[in-house]
Amino acid sequence: MSEKHYYQPEIETMPEEQIRALQSEKLVKAVQHVYADVPYYRDLMDKAGVKPEDIHGVEDLHKLPFLSKADLRETYPYGMLARPLSDCVRIQSTSGTTGKRVIAYYTQNDIDMWEECCARAIVAAGGSKEDVVHISYGYGLFTGGAGLNGGSHKVGCLPLPMSSGSTDRQIQFMMDLKSTILCCTPSYAMYMSEVAHDMGISNDELNLRIGLFGSEGCTPELRQSIERGFGLFSTDNYGMSELMGPGVSGECEKRDGLHFAEDHFLPEIINSETGEVLERGETGELVITTLTKQGIPLLRYRTKDITRINYEPCACGRTHARMDK
């Protein structure tokens, strides 16, 4: 694979030992930052009998207490904020469909990091500055639209901030502006393809070649239906509003797992019942530590998602760990 398929080749192809050393350095700083500036998490660490000086690197990650969405709801709205509110330049939020909304605050550094991660996902899927990116994720408090809009800018693409709804108009824009990349949920992509065909528009009249889908599950059967319906190549991306948004991990053109941005996110797999860290290659609950997030850094955040992590280098040349769908 040529260098043009990487957004940040020196990071995305970094040898594993260098990734671990970088993660260790960032983890130590993140723990010091959270302990000093987030009283709620400092109390959790004190109750667990662990101090920042006990954390020397990734090998000590298991000593830290977990965080969950319940903690974020308990501390709503400002209890997990680790920087002065005056340092924050954006707010995003979960939908609140399963309870009280979880709010995420971003410093400018957080925004830059997030957009870089989304840019990696776009390029890993085959995108470039020549693309017109049709973004049908919601904007506003939802992270999908904002993240991929910013990532598109980083790559140099032309993003179309369509949001969702008004599907007939979306398809007209898609034709008129010759959109080449579609970003939305899998279910909306399927619906859009059906509406396009009902309008009498064939795939030959469209310019779509890549789909970046996320925010909900996508079965192999649904993926195949979307690819047939729109005549494109689709990839999945993964993220959560409380962690950052889309771009935590994403598929490359090989589609052999979703690459983590390991310089920013440290993943673990645990036994959901016992909290025990599982051996490499085992399937269990995904736990993620943010290594560089400033506004609301999260240490050992339990996602409740079940997956497996593959640490072998990918055929695409990327060395960052990959998670199963």
Side-chain angles (χ1 to χ4, degrees):
M1 179 174 279
S2 64
E3 188 168 298
K4 67 180 181 180
H5 290 281
Y6 306 104
Y7 178 67
Q8 295 169 310
E10 70 287 351
I11 297 174
E12 295 174 69
T13 62
M14 184 180 289
E16 183 178 358
E17 60 272 18
Q18 291 184 28
I19 294 174
R20 300 295 160 253
L22 182 62
Q23 288 177 327
S24 291
E25 177 185 341
K26 290 183 175 183
L27 176 63
V28 169
K29 292 179 180 177
V31 172
Q32 292 170 345
H33 172 41
V34 170
Y35 191 86
D37 297 316
V38 184
Y40 182 86
Y41 197 75
R42 180 166 64 244
D43 289 344
L44 290 181
M45 286 182 61
D46 288 345
K47 289 174 184 175
V50 59
K51 299 293 184 184
E53 53 267 28
D54 298 325
I55 307 301
H56 304 284
V58 295
E59 68 278 4
D60 296 318
L61 182 63
H62 68 279
K63 299 176 182 178
L64 295 169
F66 293 113
L67 280 172
S68 70
K69 187 168 283 189
D71 294 299
L72 302 186
R73 287 176 174 149
E74 182 178 339
T75 57
Y76 174 94
Y78 293 125
M80 292 297 292
L81 192 60
R83 296 293 288 266
L85 198 59
S86 57
D87 287 351
C88 298
V89 298
R90 186 183 298 175
I91 183 175
Q92 306 282 171
S93 171
T94 61
S95 63
T97 53
T98 59
K100 186 182 291 185
R101 283 181 179 268
V102 169
I103 293 178
Y105 301 89
Y106 300 73
T107 65
Q108 186 58 54
N109 185 77
D110 292 338
I111 296 295
D112 292 340
M113 178 269 285
W114 182 16
E115 292 179 350
E116 283 186 357
C117 289
C118 287
R120 289 185 203 176
I122 291 169
V123 174
S128 75
K129 66 180 181 179
E130 306 299 327
D131 282 296
V132 177
V133 184
H134 191 105
I135 303 173
S136 295
Y137 283 116
Y139 280 70
L141 289 172
F142 181 63
T143 57
L148 286 158
N149 197 95
S152 298
H153 278 294
K154 290 279 189 183
V155 176
C157 310
L158 174 64
L160 304 181
M162 299 302 300
S163 194
S164 56
S166 303
T167 305
D168 292 5
R169 185 187 66 178
Q170 294 229 24
I171 292 167
Q172 190 63 55
F173 261 79
M174 191 180 289
M175 291 185 63
D176 294 346
L177 299 176
K178 303 186 186 309
S179 305
T180 54
I181 295 178
L182 174 62
C183 302
C184 61
T185 63
S187 58
Y188 192 53
M190 189 71 250
Y191 176 70
M192 290 178 79
S193 71
E194 293 167 353
V195 171
H197 293 160
D198 289 345
M199 293 169 65
I201 298 169
S202 70
N203 290 342
D204 291 339
E205 297 175 81
L206 298 170
N207 291 271
L208 291 178
R209 63 186 192 87
I210 297 172
L212 272 78
F213 304 130
S215 296
E216 64 185 24
C218 183
T219 65
E221 293 76 20
L222 178 57
R223 168 181 265 179
Q224 291 170 8
S225 296
I226 296 169
E227 292 186 331
R228 286 194 301 266
F230 262 145
L232 50 71
F233 175 84
S234 70
T235 64
D236 282 353
N237 63 74
Y238 175 84
M240 289 182 166
S241 299
E242 51 267 48
L243 292 171
M244 177 180 70
V248 173
S249 68
E251 285 184 306
C252 66
E253 293 171 288
K254 300 299 180 182
R255 296 201 304 201
D256 188 21
L258 286 74
H259 292 270
F260 281 101
E262 280 200 280
D263 51 324
H264 298 297
F265 301 96
L266 176 55
E268 306 170 84
I269 297 294
I270 67 166
N271 181 310
S272 293
E273 299 297 324
T274 66
E276 174 192 5
V277 179
L278 300 180
E279 296 292 331
R280 284 191 174 193
E282 294 192 52
T283 297
E285 181 183 350
L286 177 65
V287 173
I288 294 181
T289 293
T290 64
L291 295 172
T292 54
K293 201 154 185 276
Q294 296 178 337
I296 295 191
L298 298 179
L299 305 185
R300 304 198 80 196
Y301 184 72
R302 296 186 63 161
T303 68
K304 295 190 176 181
D305 290 326
I306 304 301
T307 188
R308 182 183 67 93
I309 299 177
N310 182 355
Y311 288 90
E312 294 299 318
C314 180
C316 73
R318 290 175 178 81
T319 51
H320 292 216
R322 290 164 283 151
M323 60 180 275
D324 290 348
K325 285 161 63 84

